[in-house]
Amino acid sequence: MTASRVLVLNSGSSSVKYQLLDMTDRSRLAAGLVERIGEETSRLVHTPQPGGEAQPREQLGPIADHGAALKAVAAELAADGLGLDSPELAAVGHRVVHGGTRFTQPTVIDDEVLAEIRSLVPLAPLHNPANVTGIEVARALRPDIPQVAVFDTAFHATMPESAARYAIDAETADRYAVRRYGFHGTSHAYVSRATAALLGKAPEDVNVIVLHLGNGASASAVRGGVCVDTSMGLTPLEGLVMGTRSGDLDPAVIFHLARVGGLSIDEIDTLLNKKSGLLGLCGDNDMREILRRAGEGDRAARVAFDTYVHRLKKYIGAYSAVLGRVDAVAFTAGVGENAAAVREAAVDGLAELGLALDLEANAVRSGEPRLISAEYARVAVAVVPTDEELEIAAQAYALVTQ
Ligand code: ADP
């Protein structure tokens, strides 16, 4: 018997999301989430065989730390006959947000790798510490099997220097590792490949613009399966308008807010990362709520929607120019997969770039990859559900079985 299960862990500062997959048929054996770790009101929701008949099980009550969270997850899995002590577990795949310039491939974690991931904390202070904790507790639980780090930045490592550099003093930039790294790479990799498959082509033969529109949002330009540009930069703050992040802005806004507004660096950081984007524009960061309010004539919600779409359209145009020839534009993640109104508005008026929708196809709700472009359009427009957990599991499994 070859071990074929992979546990995927996505550890946040107070949460752990997990999935257990069987890589022989890529099926999902279990999935779940532990949230509010370290609080009195922690909550674990465990779903055996997602998509099947079984009901999710919920567990409420304090879970002190990530170690306790993983033990609770292990107990839930054991109750389903899927204990983490099983010889069938081949690897644990960890989502790690920042890989810097050092990690451009999935990597088996040893002490040296863990130390390097730790050394990247200044580049991702909100994410890498939690990722490190997740790795430590999983290693303690199963020191005998490979723990694999899959980096959110890795897919973007192929960006040419002209796309990766900021036009600032090169020596200063290099000294402080200031460059564009990009994020959501696992999703951009998966969706660009799935889009090629939808077109019946090999990834090497298609140029795709991927629009990952979740709470965080990013665009990427993928030429023949290789990322050549992406909208997020040194951190996930750059680029598109997001749920609570501003995306692109004149860096002088920061000096102005500090000098004229008297805001501290930390206050500006919080403003731009947590109180901006859709939330800052209209008080809501959920696109469903914004669409509802805009439909009722709410002006702030309308402005938020229009600003969001305007930025999206600019990136579609920019990446059309970067790629030269575009074969497909793919929408993915919560907003991209579900908000037909966003897709319609983003593509509206882009016929000269070869983009036009079949509005009936666009309105269909489905969990499957699908084309929504008009028959006559030169560029395919697709909705392609992302699956970051499957991609992490596949990369980890490929590494440990090669
Ligand atoms: P995350 O970045 O947290 O993984 P998701 O990809 O799950 O986010 O996207 C979450 C966002 O998707 C929500 O904030 C919401 O705005 C949006 N969303 C989810 N369902 C719908 C829907 N039916 N219509 C419009 N937007 C939706």
Side-chain angles (χ1 to χ4, degrees), residues 17 184 212-217 243 278 285-291 332-340 342 365 386 388:
K17 289 188 202 145
H184 291 145
H212 176 110
L213 312 176
N215 247 320
L278 294 170
N285 62 340
D286 191 318
M287 189 52 84
R288 283 164 289 205
E289 191 56 18
I290 290 165
L291 290 169
T332 195
V335 175
E337 291 168 29
N338 296 298
V342 169
R365 297 190 63 83
T386 191
E388 289 165 280

Side-chain angles (χ1 to χ4, degrees), residues 275-331:
K275 299 182 185 170
S276 295
L278 294 170
L279 182 72
L281 288 165
C282 76
D284 269 309
N285 62 340
D286 191 318
M287 189 52 84
R288 283 164 289 205
E289 191 56 18
I290 290 165
L291 290 169
R292 190 192 62 73
R293 283 174 51 192
E296 290 173 354
D298 182 316
R299 190 180 131 69
R302 185 81 237 169
V303 170
F305 178 84
D306 289 347
T307 310
Y308 184 94
V309 166
H310 178 73
R311 186 82 52 86
L312 205 47
K313 208 176 263 216
K314 285 214 292 196
Y315 271 93
I316 295 173
Y319 288 173
S320 296
V322 166
L323 290 171
R325 185 200 84 219
V326 182
D327 298 297
V329 174
F331 286 88

